[in-house]
Amino acid sequence: MKNIAYMIFLAILLMSCGDKEKTAAKSYQLDTIPMMVLQIQKTSRLYTTEYHLHKIITHNDVKSITGKIFNQSFHIDLPVGKRKIAIPLDATLKAYVDFSNFTSKNIKKAGKKIEIILPDPHIVLTSTKINHQEVKQYVAITRSNFTDEELTSFENQGRTAIIKDIPSLDMIGIAKENAAKTLIPFIKQMGYAEEDITITFRKQFNLNDIEKLIDKTTIENGK
């Protein structure tokens, strides 16, 4: 009887320890989420993509007269000479993800599976530069040279053209891939298998969405 009682006591003790271990493990898993949020927030602004673009801006300036005579439209190029210019413009585009407002709402967990929903990315034109040594222009003898004000205007037009080309670049897809390369090793250190980790954005962005993600202040400020 003593042996039987001892075995029963030992079984109860082991079951009790097992329940405590399960409770502790479950508590640890729950506690990893706030820790994960805190660590990801520390990443702050993560630059994920950088593009270096080269664009040639052209302008053909012809003096002309337009109007109407007897309800007939006319357009006449004046014989005072032409002005042409080709301006090489180098630009740098960057995409980044701002984690400063990252919260537990950006994390979905189901069993061993965990999904990190990235904040919406931002795209910014960080710099533009004219290579003045390679500017090519033709100015007829009867015309004046292009002014600095005109050159600045052409550069601004080039910036706008580059911004319009952004939706055709896969900056969003590359931003997600590079963000994953940064976050997955960190999440693995917290006990998750790589095949159980998913990094995604809240939606599949279309062309109209991408235009809203572009920071246009660099154009407005002429930076």
Side-chain angles (χ1 to χ4, degrees):
M1 290 293 292
K2 289 183 178 180
N3 289 337
I4 295 173
Y6 175 76
M7 291 176 66
I8 292 173
F9 172 76
L10 183 61
I12 293 172
L13 181 63
L14 290 173
M15 289 176 62
S16 175
C17 290
D19 289 340
K20 288 181 180 179
E21 288 177 359
K22 289 179 181 178
T23 302
K26 185 176 181 181
S27 176
Y28 174 77
Q29 285 184 339
L30 290 175
D31 288 342
T32 61
I33 301 301
M35 187 186 304
M36 188 181 299
V37 169
L38 182 61
Q39 293 300 318
I40 292 177
Q41 283 178 346
K42 289 181 179 179
T43 308
S44 187
R45 181 177 291 192
L46 175 64
Y47 282 93
T48 54
T49 316
E50 183 172 320
Y51 273 70
H52 296 278
L53 305 178
H54 183 75
K55 194 173 186 68
I56 304 295
I57 308 161
T58 58
H59 180 75
N60 188 2
D61 184 10
V62 179
K63 290 290 186 180
S64 61
I65 298 176
T66 59
K68 281 187 177 182
I69 297 179
F70 302 118
N71 292 326
Q72 294 294 320
S73 298
F74 68 88
H75 180 96
I76 302 174
D77 291 339
L78 298 177
V80 294
K82 299 180 179 180
R83 293 193 309 169
K84 298 180 181 180
I85 192 167
I87 305 172
L89 181 67
D90 294 313
T92 300
L93 282 169
K94 291 184 180 182
Y96 68 88
V97 178
D98 188 353
F99 288 103
S100 57
N101 294 319
F102 188 88
T103 69
S104 58
K105 294 180 180 179
N106 294 90
I107 300 175
K108 290 184 178 180
K109 191 174 181 303
K112 295 181 179 180
K113 304 288 184 181
I114 188 165
E115 179 182 2
I116 306 298
I117 303 171
L118 300 170
D120 289 356
H122 298 268
I123 300 173
V124 59
L125 178 62
T126 58
S127 67
T128 57
K129 182 180 180 182
I130 291 178
N131 188 337
H132 292 278
Q133 293 181 347
E134 295 185 7
V135 172
K136 295 181 180 180
Q137 56 181 314
Y138 166 78
V139 179
I141 195 170
T142 56
R143 301 290 304 276
S144 58
N145 290 327
F146 290 97
T147 65
D148 290 341
E149 185 178 354
E150 288 174 313
L151 293 176
T152 299
S153 175
F154 298 152
E155 184 179 2
N156 289 335
Q157 292 173 26
R159 290 193 188 97
T160 302
I162 289 171
I163 291 294
K164 288 182 179 179
D165 288 341
I166 288 176
S168 64
L169 305 174
D170 188 25
M171 295 192 73
I172 302 301
I174 296 174
K176 182 176 72 173
E177 291 178 9
N178 290 341
K181 290 177 182 177
T182 300
L183 295 179
I184 286 177
F186 160 70
I187 298 171
K188 285 172 62 178
Q189 290 178 357
M190 303 192 76
Y192 295 90
E194 185 169 347
E195 60 269 20
D196 294 330
I197 304 170
T198 301
I199 308 293
T200 186
F201 285 112
R202 63 181 177 86
K203 61 176 289 186
Q204 186 73 31
F205 296 108
N206 57 38
L207 293 180
N208 290 332
D209 293 328
I210 292 175
E211 289 182 1
K212 296 175 184 177
L213 302 176
I214 299 170
D215 183 359
K216 296 184 176 65
T217 57
T218 51
I219 299 179
E220 296 168 359
N221 295 335
K223 293 182 180 177

